[in-house]
Amino acid sequence: MNELFEEQFRFNLESSPNWEQGAAHREMITGYLIGMAGEKRGRLCILGAGNCNDLNLKRLLHAFSEIHLVDIDEVALEYAVQSQSLENESSIFLHKSDLTGVGQQLAAWGAKDSSADSNLTEIISQLSKPAKLNLPGSFDVICSTCLLSQLVHLAVKAVGDTHSRFEELMIAIRYQHVQTMIDLIGEEGAGLLVSDFVSSASAPDLLQIPDDQFEQYLSQLLSSRNFFHGVHPGVLLSLLVGNAPLANQVRDVEMLRPWRWNLGSRQYAIAAIQFYSLKRD
Ligand SMILES: C[S@@+](CC[C@H](N)C(=O)[O-])C[C@H]1O[C@@H](n2cnc3c(N)ncnc32)[C@H](O)[C@@H]1O
């Protein structure tokens, strides 16, 4: 049993009845993805799809010929298609997969005492390579939906954010994830990296703050270092622009306007970065 994954399964079970409250967040992501689909009705892949409360799959089926949903939690994926009455839809494909490839090692490391330091070296080295995902080919649009904070959370739970190598591990997870997205995009395809980066647990005014003050409020939170580990939107953007190693694989990188995600008991601020692949055959 993987304790780290079990926790994710519990989060998914608890948040599954969140369809109603998540409407505005779902509209944002679904709308951006439809805009990115273009004329072609290509193939869409969602990383961290979970319960898909953040995707209107029926609307997306008009814009894409195939939708591939990837997550470690196959129960959540099955719930996702059933709850949107799409369990018999032949254009939707469910893939159970650990997008880091190191989930088992991280859980094993977390379960042992911290003397197992050499394993951490191995885990970090494995993260410098793409995870073996066994997904069918490349995609026209790839979207990571509020997954990155959870990938970093796996490291927080396993190793602890005070460990001397936590930062190194977190940076490796983040870099691998963005590289995975780019690798999965086909010729002329597009990517949308959506990440929650702070919640009302540490920013209680998140829901009440008026729309016209929202961005300024978020800047203040970021300046006071009130955000989840590893997902500062500016740092995510910096991975894809300028002289960053990944920047020469993408074009037209754009930070979209932030929005709020209401998850019932908690609210989150969301950042999203859209980009296009430079791959040409
Ligand atoms: C915050 S949820 C995403 C929300 C989801 N799209 C929804 O609306 O229900 C993050 C998702 O990431 C998945 N996840 C966490 N670690 C993962 C990993 N290593 N590989 C693949 N998926 C993972 C969780 O199972 C969960 O479904």
Side-chain angles (χ1 to χ4, degrees), residues 8 12 48-54 71-72 97-99 145-147:
Q8 295 291 319
N12 282 338
N51 297 316
C52 287
N53 278 330
D54 51 4
D71 204 286
I72 43 170
S97 187
D98 169 15
L99 287 154
T145 60
C146 298
L147 165 65

Side-chain angles (χ1 to χ4, degrees), residues 41-117:
R41 272 198 91 237
R43 302 166 81 226
L44 169 67
C45 178
I46 306 289
L47 307 180
N51 297 316
C52 287
N53 278 330
D54 51 4
L55 299 169
N56 185 325
L57 294 170
K58 283 194 180 140
R59 280 185 62 206
L60 288 168
L61 279 169
H62 291 293
F64 293 96
S65 59
E66 289 180 14
I67 301 178
H68 293 258
L69 304 174
V70 188
D71 204 286
I72 43 170
D73 188 349
E74 59 184 343
V75 173
L77 293 179
E78 275 157 20
Y79 168 85
V81 287
Q82 276 162 21
S83 66
Q84 298 193 42
S85 309
L86 289 166
E87 59 271 50
N88 298 320
E89 174 54 61
S90 59
S91 314
I92 297 186
F93 302 84
L94 310 185
H95 304 278
K96 183 183 177 196
S97 187
D98 169 15
L99 287 154
T100 65
V102 297
Q104 295 300 351
Q105 289 102 303
L106 269 180
W109 196 93
K112 276 186 254 153
D113 71 306
S114 52
S115 57
D117 217 49

Side-chain angles (χ1 to χ4, degrees), residues 38-275:
E39 306 279 279
K40 161 172 177 203
R41 272 198 91 237
R43 302 166 81 226
L44 169 67
C45 178
I46 306 289
L47 307 180
N51 297 316
C52 287
N53 278 330
D54 51 4
L55 299 169
N56 185 325
L57 294 170
K58 283 194 180 140
R59 280 185 62 206
L60 288 168
L61 279 169
H62 291 293
F64 293 96
S65 59
E66 289 180 14
I67 301 178
H68 293 258
L69 304 174
V70 188
D71 204 286
I72 43 170
D73 188 349
E74 59 184 343
V75 173
L77 293 179
E78 275 157 20
Y79 168 85
V81 287
Q82 276 162 21
S83 66
Q84 298 193 42
S85 309
L86 289 166
E87 59 271 50
N88 298 320
E89 174 54 61
S90 59
S91 314
I92 297 186
F93 302 84
L94 310 185
H95 304 278
K96 183 183 177 196
S97 187
D98 169 15
L99 287 154
T100 65
V102 297
Q104 295 300 351
Q105 289 102 303
L106 269 180
W109 196 93
K112 276 186 254 153
D113 71 306
S114 52
S115 57
D117 217 49
S118 60
N119 278 347
L120 214 45
T121 303
E122 237 171 72
I123 291 172
I124 292 169
S125 142
Q126 223 180 298
L127 284 164
S128 69
K129 294 170 238 144
K132 292 191 183 73
L133 297 179
N134 205 17
L135 293 174
S138 54
F139 300 91
D140 299 285
V141 177
I142 182 110
C143 174
S144 163
T145 60
C146 298
L147 165 65
L148 189 51
S149 61
Q150 294 310 305
L151 298 184
V152 175
H153 180 77
L154 301 178
V156 174
K157 290 303 272 194
V159 174
D161 58 2
T162 53
H163 190 280
S164 60
R165 300 193 72 186
F166 172 73
E167 185 88 359
E168 197 187 344
L169 181 60
M170 179 200 75
I171 290 171
I173 288 174
R174 184 169 64 196
Y175 190 89
Q176 186 210 42
H177 187 59
V178 180
Q179 181 71 73
T180 298
M181 288 185 74
I182 296 173
D183 289 347
L184 287 171
I185 303 176
E187 205 185 325
E188 299 287 323
L192 183 66
L193 172 58
V194 179
S195 183
D196 47 330
F197 62 95
V198 62
S199 85
S200 54
S202 66
D205 297 333
L206 199 63
L207 200 64
Q208 289 84 31
I209 207 91
D211 283 348
D212 61 350
Q213 290 165 34
F214 187 53
E215 287 185 44
Q216 196 192 349
Y217 174 68
L218 294 180
S219 299
Q220 283 162 4
L221 295 178
L222 293 172
S223 324
S224 55
R225 304 204 54 77
N226 187 353
F227 57 88
F228 301 150
H229 285 304
V231 287
H232 185 302
V235 175
L236 298 183
L237 183 70
S238 75
L239 294 175
L240 293 165
V241 296
N243 294 324
L246 296 174
N248 61 10
Q249 301 177 45
V250 293
R251 65 175 170 85
D252 297 326
V253 180
E254 186 187 350
M255 174 74 84
L256 305 174
R257 294 194 71 181
W259 68 85
R260 294 172 238 230
W261 175 23
N262 186 354
L263 197 68
S265 60
R266 216 169 255 191
Q267 289 78 41
Y268 294 82
I270 303 294
I273 300 172
Q274 182 180 301
F275 55 91

